[in-house]
């Protein structure tokens, strides 16, 4: 695929360059609680602006229903991008309507605009090729060239990700080029031992990547809500913890295959429990207790790894040469259940391994818990995209950037 450096070499002064970014940031009302994804696209936007391009930044945010919804407006992201660039950023209040056309037409060389949430138009996410293509045609009228830099969306066959690049000269931005380079280190010529840490809520979200990693990883450490399905698959009672009963046969098969292939599966040996899910707004004390993983009381919910598990996981990561981590170990947003996630992050900081934090909640946790991002080998901006890449799937947004 061509890169942004090739576009810059061709000259961009006066050209309208459409940058498909990933500004899908978490919001508390209109307040951005983690601006990592905005900062990730900053090098691409800044470089284009410095070279005199008229930069049109576009993204989705959340899951609006194909129509405008103020709760999902990109206005806060545009304001934050302006602060980070140290320059005014124009904002269009629609995607391809009068405001977008006027805003782009009014851009001077070296200036930047953000258009409103792409998912306010039903054509962005439509499964109908014609409807999606029609929206891509309208977007193409706003630009002379396309730069794909929204790695968090490249696994989606959406108009701005898949269809639009076919209508314009297209290039990969700095973020996508970096992400692909890092993920290749996890799939080809991997330095061993190769350890994978998987957390998050649902084991069903990780089935594909677990299946793929059983052929590649040396050890797989499981935490988060998905751990309780694994523990149940081993015959343990899990109280009122998150459980996907229908996935138990698949999990048992993975455990069997791992043993057959010599892949070490590491599960919690103790867990932190509470009577109910904690209040994440008030952070009120949740009355946690630590119990053995094979002795969870009825009516108690597992919400984090326990201290012995934290020590165990740190020891399993200490000698690794490569580590991929996707998904928190517990409800890290509440102080009573953040220790498991903090322990994994600290183990990666302490390890000499090349460590990749696989986007989404894991990346947010690293920042919220106060870790220096530079202490990790790479922090990905795309959780789902990273997982699908590791599954060996073809990602529509990357395929669209190939010539």
């Amino acid at each position: 695929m061509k890169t942004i450096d090739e576009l810059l070499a061709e000259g961009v002064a006066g050209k309208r360059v459409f940058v498909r970014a990933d500004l899908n940031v978490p919001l508390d009302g209109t307040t951005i609680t983690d601006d990592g994804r905005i900062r990730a696209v900053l090098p691409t936007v800044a470089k284009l602006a410095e070279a005199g391009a008229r930069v049109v930044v576009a993204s989705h945010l959340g899951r609006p229903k194909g129509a405008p919804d103020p709760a999902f407006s990109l206005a806060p992201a545009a304001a934050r991008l302006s602060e980070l660039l140290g320059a005014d950023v124009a904002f269009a209040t629609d995607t391809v309507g009068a405001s977008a056309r006027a805003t782009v037409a009014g851009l001077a060389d070296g200036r930047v605009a953000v258009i409103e949430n792409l998912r306010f138009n039903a054509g962005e996410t439509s499964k109908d090729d014609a409807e999606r293509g029609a929206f891509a045609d309208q977007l193409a009228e706003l630009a002379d060239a396309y730069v794909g830099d929204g790695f968090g969306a490249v696994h989606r066959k959406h108009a701005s990700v898949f269809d639009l690049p076919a209508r314009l000269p297209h290039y990969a931005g700095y973020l996508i080029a970096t992400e692909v380079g890092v993920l290749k280190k996890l799939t080809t010529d991997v330095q061993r031992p190769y350890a994978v840490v998987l957390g998050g809520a649902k084991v069903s979200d990780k089935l594909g990547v677990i299946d793929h990693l059983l052929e590649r990883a040396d050890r797989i450490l499981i935490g988060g809500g998905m751990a309780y399905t694994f523990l149940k698959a081993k015959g343990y009672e899990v109280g009122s913890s998150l459980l996907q009963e229908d996935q138990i046969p698949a999990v048992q098969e993975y455990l069997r295959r791992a043993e057959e292939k010599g892949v070490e599966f590491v599960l919690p040996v103790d867990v932190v429990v509470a009577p109910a899910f904690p209040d994440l707004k008030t952070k009120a004390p949740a009355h946690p207790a630590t119990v053995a993983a094979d002795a969870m009381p009825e009516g108690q919910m597992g919400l984090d790894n326990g201290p012995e598990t934290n020590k165990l996981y740190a020891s399993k990561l200490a000698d690794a040469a490569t580590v991929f981590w996707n998904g928190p170990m517990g409800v890290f947003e509440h102080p009573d259940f953040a220790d498991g996630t903090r322990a994994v992050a600290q183990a990666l900081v302490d390890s000499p391994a090349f460590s990749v934090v696989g986007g989404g909640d894991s990346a947010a946790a690293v920042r919220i818990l106060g870790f220096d991002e530079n202490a990790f080998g790479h922090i990905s901006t795309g959780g789902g995209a990273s997982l699908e890449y590791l599954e060996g799937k073809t990602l529509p947004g990357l395929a669209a950037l190939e010539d």
Side-chain angles (χ1 to χ4, degrees), residues 230-320:
F230 276 86
L231 293 172
K232 184 70 172 180
K234 290 178 68 71
Y236 301 163
E237 293 303 320
V238 296
S240 58
S241 305
L242 183 64
L243 176 65
Q244 289 186 284
E245 292 261 13
D246 61 324
Q247 301 298 332
I248 288 176
V251 166
Q252 289 172 329
E253 174 62 13
Y254 286 145
L255 292 171
R256 185 197 65 77
R257 282 176 55 199
E259 186 173 4
E260 183 181 89
K261 293 178 176 296
V263 177
E264 187 178 7
F265 244 105
V266 189
L267 301 177
V269 294
D270 62 345
V271 295
V272 180
V273 300
F277 196 85
D279 187 326
L280 300 183
K281 286 282 188 184
T282 66
K283 305 291 196 298
H287 309 293
T290 300
V291 299
D294 62 355
M296 290 185 63
E298 185 176 345
Q300 293 287 312
M301 179 181 293
L303 296 165
D304 196 15
N305 288 346
E308 294 305 313
T309 301
N310 294 340
K311 292 176 190 175
L312 173 65
Y313 284 19
S315 72
K316 297 296 182 182
L317 297 173
D319 68 340

Side-chain angles (χ1 to χ4, degrees), residues 64-68 95-97 116-126 131-132 134-136 138-139 159:
K65 305 298 184 182
T95 56
V96 291
E116 186 55 284
N117 192 335
L118 291 164
R119 291 185 183 175
F120 285 2
N121 189 304
E124 170 68 0
T125 59
S126 176
E131 184 180 11
R132 223 176 44 246
F135 183 48
Q138 292 177 291
L139 291 171

